[in-house]
Amino acid sequence: MEKKGKVRQARAAETRKRIVAAAKKMITENGFENVSIEEIAKEAEVSTGSFYTYFKKKEDVVEELNQLSFYRLAEITNEMKDKGLDDRLKYYCRQFLSEIERVGIEICRQWIRNNITPVNMEISGKETTKYNHDYLAMKSLLEEGISRGELAADTPVDEMALYI
């Protein structure tokens, strides 16, 4: 019985992965507004119902692309105990830009839309928006700099996080 469960989980993970890959391909080629859920499902070779088993709406697929590696970036950066603040900030910014390059301009356009008109979503188990998540990620890097003594205790973290 346990083996069947593992096989089912593996198939579900593969189906989800195919849907995400199909959405990325189609959105990159055609733009977010020009792709329907039905077209994504067809490209992924799944039923529309299967799409809805894994995602409520197209925006959720875009967020899945973010979660593949993007949302853990601040956590990973703060775990770099052997690097100074300057190196951690450089790493964070380079990885942030690399992630934008990896997913492509059409996905990034949808991220920007989500920042202009915030869409509530779950990120790392918390209800938030992409903009708020990005702000809090940068704020956490700066606060870590204060706790390590790399920034003055009175550093205006909120303002700096907004500017960066």
Side-chain angles (χ1 to χ4, degrees):
M1 189 69 136
E2 187 177 317
K3 188 175 180 180
K4 282 185 182 181
K6 287 183 181 184
V7 169
R8 194 172 315 151
Q9 285 177 336
R11 279 194 211 137
E14 181 58 35
T15 299
R16 186 180 188 97
K17 186 176 175 181
R18 285 197 341 254
I19 292 169
V20 171
K24 180 181 181 209
K25 176 181 184 262
M26 301 214 44
I27 292 168
T28 298
E29 291 173 359
N30 305 304
F32 183 82
E33 292 83 11
N34 300 319
V35 176
S36 70
I37 288 171
E38 291 78 14
E39 291 168 323
I40 293 169
K42 184 177 179 183
E43 178 71 23
E45 299 178 344
V46 301
S47 69
T48 303
S50 288
F51 177 95
Y52 286 111
T53 298
Y54 298 97
F55 303 100
K56 293 178 185 173
K57 55 192 182 298
K58 275 193 305 184
E59 289 83 359
D60 294 342
V61 180
V62 173
E63 290 314 306
E64 178 78 10
L65 287 166
N66 291 344
Q67 295 201 30
L68 296 177
S69 61
F70 197 68
Y71 285 145
R72 276 214 66 244
L73 184 55
E75 294 170 18
I76 292 166
T77 305
N78 279 332
E79 291 168 2
M80 298 175 158
K81 301 299 180 195
D82 61 330
K83 303 284 185 193
L85 179 62
D86 185 51
D87 288 335
R88 291 192 317 275
L89 286 172
K90 285 178 190 174
Y91 174 83
Y92 180 88
C93 291
R94 284 186 184 125
Q95 292 305 114
F96 192 98
L97 294 173
S98 293
E99 191 63 17
I100 288 171
E101 185 176 18
R102 182 186 72 78
V103 299
I105 193 68
E106 288 302 323
I107 300 297
C108 290
R109 284 184 179 142
Q110 188 57 37
W111 289 344
I112 291 167
R113 285 183 197 103
N114 289 349
N115 281 340
I116 293 169
T117 308
V119 175
N120 284 333
M121 59 190 68
E122 187 174 309
I123 302 172
S124 303
K126 298 175 187 166
E127 187 75 19
T128 190
T129 63
K130 180 173 182 340
Y131 175 82
N132 193 50
H133 180 273
D134 292 346
Y135 164 75
L136 292 174
M138 181 53 63
K139 185 177 173 184
S140 77
L141 290 172
L142 298 170
E143 287 170 341
E144 180 68 17
I146 290 172
S147 73
R148 293 184 188 194
E150 298 163 318
L151 292 172
D154 63 349
T155 299
V157 172
D158 290 328
E159 291 83 4
M160 285 182 70
L162 283 173
Y163 294 130
I164 296 174

